Amino acid sequence: MTQAASFALALGLSLPHGATLAEVDAAAGLQHRTDRKYLVPVGLARRLVEQLADSHRVLDLGGRRTTSYRSTYFDTPRLAAWHAHVQGRRRRWKVRTRLYAEDGLCRVEVKTKDGRGATVKHAQRASAARYGRLDEEAAAFVDRVLTGSAIPVRAADLVATTEIRYLRAALADLHHGTRVTLDGVLTCHRDDRSAALDPDFVLVETKGGVRPAPADRMLLGLGVRPVSLSKYLVGQSLLTPGLPDNDVRRIARTRFRAGPHPAPAPLPEGTPVA
């Protein structure tokens, strides 16, 4: 059984009805949203999926209910984005290229915070062959977004730092426009170093409005509390020598383990990456 099949089985992803990508994007695209994150034991994550099955649909891509994600994050050589997040600055930002591996699709994404602390995600399609780099078109997009958000950083200042790889399942409430994602088999990579999330846990994220969604209330009912956690912050905190200790690292050390770890599975045959 493949990792993806095992992940889907463990979470009970066959229980909810499926929805197409177009249906999910139309109802719950959520480029401007509030994110809440939880580190959840796999058994409780399955119970969450069971409780959501009547109200949520699972993203189904031709019978496939998980997607392999690869995200390369960009930062300044002094890790300005990492420091801004760790220090809780109001004008925080992230720049990444993201590859949806099975589909050979790539996007350049810039995430910022608005004045109320909500996440605003800006995205632009890119050639899968350009995953992991910022070409001229991608750099122009990044500059437009950062300038518009009054962030004094330009694409020319950025270098690729950490790559995060994981499997994701996504559920959406098509009537109320909220989403829940479940990420597992999660690894962080920088140079020859790696770290991995405890395989008995998944990272659950709810994406909706300012008020908690039904999924948040269900998680609280299961005894799970939100955590302030970012995959990028975890990766940098655990894999970059000399960084100051911080709350993210202390949380990460309870559920993440530094390498060596087995190399991630190769991309599906024919995926056009450089």
Side-chain angles (χ1 to χ4, degrees):
M1 185 179 293
T2 66
Q3 277 189 332
S6 296
F7 184 62
L9 181 63
L11 293 179
L13 295 181
S14 63
L15 296 173
H17 291 295
T20 67
L21 179 60
E23 289 174 321
V24 171
D25 282 347
L30 296 173
Q31 300 304 304
H32 190 284
R33 69 202 190 199
T34 297
D35 297 342
R36 296 175 179 86
K37 302 179 183 182
Y38 307 81
L39 283 171
V40 183
V42 171
L44 287 185
R46 182 186 177 94
R47 288 177 60 186
L48 175 67
V49 172
E50 292 171 351
Q51 292 181 19
L52 292 173
D54 289 338
S55 58
H56 286 60
R57 307 269 292 275
V58 63
L59 176 62
D60 187 301
L61 301 165
R64 172 169 51 85
R65 295 194 165 191
T66 65
T67 297
S68 301
Y69 279 55
R70 295 191 176 188
S71 298
T72 293
Y73 288 82
F74 298 81
D75 208 333
T76 67
R78 293 191 172 188
L79 303 181
W82 182 89
H83 283 285
H85 280 263
V86 167
Q87 295 167 7
R89 296 179 193 167
R90 186 168 63 89
R91 296 199 180 278
R92 305 196 295 275
W93 53 277
K94 291 177 189 168
V95 174
R96 68 189 178 205
T97 56
R98 169 167 285 179
L99 180 71
Y100 304 82
E102 291 89 348
D103 306 301
L105 300 177
C106 182
R107 302 203 310 179
V108 182
E109 298 181 347
V110 183
K111 296 175 75 173
T112 60
K113 293 284 187 181
D114 69 8
R116 296 181 300 173
T119 299
V120 184
K121 184 166 75 173
H122 313 261
Q124 177 173 282
R125 287 284 296 272
S127 165
R130 304 303 293 172
Y131 168 71
R133 65 190 74 180
L134 296 177
D135 61 14
E136 184 176 345
E137 182 179 355
F141 167 72
V142 169
D143 285 345
R144 286 196 301 274
V145 174
L146 293 180
T147 298
S149 300
I151 294 169
V153 177
R154 297 296 171 265
D157 303 327
L158 305 178
V159 296
T161 56
T162 300
E163 185 181 50
I164 312 295
R165 306 183 183 195
Y166 53 96
L167 286 171
R168 167 168 287 185
L171 292 87
D173 182 334
L174 302 186
H175 297 292
H176 297 96
T178 59
R179 283 195 293 133
V180 180
T181 59
L182 302 99
D183 298 339
V185 198
L186 191 158
T187 58
C188 313
H189 305 267
R190 180 168 190 182
D191 300 326
D192 60 348
R193 299 180 294 277
S194 65
L197 175 64
D198 183 331
D200 293 327
F201 280 75
V202 295
L203 178 62
V204 175
E205 299 184 36
T206 64
K207 307 166 192 290
V210 175
R211 298 181 62 182
D216 295 292
R217 294 191 288 273
M218 290 177 185
L219 285 162
L220 289 174
L222 292 170
V224 182
R225 298 295 182 267
V227 295
S228 179
L229 191 68
S230 155
K231 301 182 191 73
Y232 173 60
L233 265 64
V234 166
Q236 289 288 21
S237 296
L238 294 179
L239 302 177
T240 304
L243 289 179
D245 207 6
N246 56 78
D247 290 341
V248 171
R249 180 180 289 172
R250 286 189 284 273
I251 293 173
R253 282 174 177 163
T254 67
R255 297 300 175 206
F256 286 77
R257 296 293 179 269
H261 297 286
L267 290 172
E269 186 175 353
T271 302
V273 296

